[in-house]
């Protein structure tokens, strides 16, 4: 258990093309050594970084974890279907400016890696280093995953209306529960013809041993508040639009990629070969790579001590 009572919560008004949105921010730590911004994935929220936030704060850093727009306690944009990853990059810049942070480390996982990588390219002077969990950097995107069968969960969730109908049969807590169970396995979630993604989880299947009912309650309450309309748009229905727009797509900052060897993402077509080869370093030359043999898609929650040690070592070497 971790003491979350010391984490402070606030809302920041962030200007954007559609006006002002109030983004929920969780933060802790005085920041003598610098600032670390944590970017969540799906089906996550600021809470997913609870172990890492406290660890970096105890080590002398300021930890900041927003809920992306449309997630958790942050405002919903008026037209979620028009949202792009550029909106998240703009929000991140707005957060740093509003909090008076000239430069920060970015720690991300899952789709949170996309705005992190692209922010480092677009605003290199604002990024001290990057730590990414589970998603390698590739300027060409992940279109090779579209070669997977029709029942591949991302294909299903990209189809307007399909996930809405599937998720709509359950409350938010059950949807999060089912996705956590599916994503914690080492197999890619693929439904059969006539079967929906939520049907892949038997109601009697227990939660992963490192994920408690209390954790599920926290996630469920936050997704009950936000719903899934925006999360289906970002990331799933914008995945093909998340490539860097800069002429030079090279990420020059120090970077660490942590991959769980039992993360289902590593089984996406070509991913393991790409990660284990030197190809990635053509685009991110100052990259360190660490494989965790038992690590799942949620390795930071599954093995927080091990992940925290890797993160703190990287941060301290790159202050």
């Amino acid at each position: 258990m971790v003491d979350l009572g010391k984490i402070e919560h606030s809302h920041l008004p962030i200007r954007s093309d559609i006006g002002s949105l109030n983004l929920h921010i969780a933060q802790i730590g005085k920041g003598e050594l610098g600032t670390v911004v944590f970017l969540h994935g799906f089906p996550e929220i600021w809470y997913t970084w609870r172990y890492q936030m406290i660890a970096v704060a105890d080590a002398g850093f300021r930890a900041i974890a927003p809920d992306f727009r449309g997630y958790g306690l942050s405002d919903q944009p008026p037209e979620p279907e028009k949202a792009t990853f550029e909106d998240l990059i703009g929000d991140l810049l707005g957060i740093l400016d509003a909090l008076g942070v000239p430069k920060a480390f970015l720690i991300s996982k899952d789709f949170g890696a996309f705005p992190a990588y692209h922010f480092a390219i677009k605003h290199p002077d604002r990024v001290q280093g990057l730590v990414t969990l589970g998603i390698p950097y590739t300027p060409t995107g992940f279109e090779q995953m579209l070669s997977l069968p029709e029942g591949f969960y991302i294909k299903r969730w990209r189809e307007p209306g399909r996930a809405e109908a599937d998720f709509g049969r359950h409350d938010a807590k059950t949807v999060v529960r089912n996705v956590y169970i599916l994503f914690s396995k080492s197999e890619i979630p693929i439904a059969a013809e006539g079967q929906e993604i939520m049907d892949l989880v038997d109601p009697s299947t227990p939660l992963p041993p490192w994920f408690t009912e209390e954790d599920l309650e926290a996630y469920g309450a936050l997704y009950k508040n936000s719903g899934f309309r925006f999360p289906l748009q970002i990331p799933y229905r914008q995945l093909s639009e998340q490539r860097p727009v800069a002429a030079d797509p090279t990420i020059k900052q120090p970077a660490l990629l942590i991959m769980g060897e039992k993360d289902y993402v590593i089984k996406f077509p070509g991913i393991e070969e790409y990660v284990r080869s030197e190809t990635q370093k053509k685009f991110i030359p100052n990259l360190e790579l660490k494989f965790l043999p038992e690590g799942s898609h949620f390795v930071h929650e599954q093995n927080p001590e091990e992940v925290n040690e890797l993160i703190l070592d990287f941060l301290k070497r790159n202050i």
Side-chain angles (χ1 to χ4, degrees), residues 12-249:
L12 288 179
I14 303 297
R15 296 292 301 174
S16 70
D17 292 342
I18 58 172
S20 182
L21 290 176
N22 291 309
L23 300 186
H24 171 250
I25 305 292
Q27 58 180 317
I28 185 174
K30 296 180 179 179
E32 304 95 325
L33 298 182
T35 299
V36 182
V37 179
F38 294 90
L39 303 176
H40 66 79
F42 177 84
E44 298 153 328
I45 222 74
W46 76 267
Y47 182 88
T48 196
W49 296 113
R50 57 201 180 279
Y51 300 112
Q52 287 71 43
M53 291 180 71
I54 290 172
V56 302
D58 287 346
F61 295 89
R62 180 185 186 185
I64 299 169
D67 288 345
F68 283 124
R69 61 167 64 197
Y71 280 79
L73 299 177
S74 289
D75 282 354
Q76 297 287 323
E79 296 181 281
E81 287 74 22
K82 293 184 178 180
T84 70
F85 278 96
E86 282 296 315
D87 296 327
L88 304 190
I89 295 169
D91 289 347
L92 179 52
L93 180 62
I95 290 168
L96 295 182
D97 288 346
L99 295 177
V101 177
K103 201 168 192 176
F105 290 97
L106 303 182
I107 298 183
S108 61
K109 77 168 299 285
D110 194 67
F111 84 84
F114 300 138
Y117 286 140
H118 299 174
F119 188 88
I121 294 169
K122 196 170 184 178
H123 304 285
D125 58 321
R126 306 299 294 270
V127 178
Q128 199 159 348
L130 301 103
V131 179
T132 310
L133 281 67
I135 301 293
Y137 172 60
T138 166
T140 58
F142 287 86
E143 290 184 357
Q144 65 270 35
M145 69 186 176
L146 297 180
S147 66
L148 288 164
E150 177 275 335
F152 176 44
Y153 77 97
I154 290 179
K155 285 187 174 181
R156 289 289 183 85
W157 292 352
R158 285 169 62 86
E159 183 182 334
R162 183 141 192 183
E164 288 87 342
D166 187 14
F167 290 5
R169 298 178 295 151
H170 309 279
D171 59 23
K173 178 180 171 182
T174 301
V175 173
V176 173
R177 178 186 182 276
N178 288 350
V179 177
Y180 248 83
I181 289 171
L182 282 176
F183 284 10
S184 65
K185 296 179 179 181
S186 60
E187 298 301 320
I188 299 173
I190 297 176
E193 184 177 354
Q195 182 184 42
E196 299 302 328
I197 299 300
M198 290 293 100
D199 298 331
L200 293 174
V201 180
D202 188 290
S204 65
T205 305
L207 289 168
W210 40 265
F211 193 73
T212 68
E213 287 290 340
E214 182 182 6
D215 295 331
L216 180 59
E217 287 289 343
Y219 280 101
L222 291 168
Y223 274 96
K224 181 180 181 181
N225 182 72
S226 67
F228 296 98
R229 184 178 174 188
F230 188 88
L232 287 169
Q233 172 69 9
I234 303 289
Y236 298 104
R237 293 169 187 168
Q238 278 289 305
L239 277 175
S240 60
E241 308 298 329
Q242 50 79 27
R243 297 177 183 177
V245 294
D248 180 5

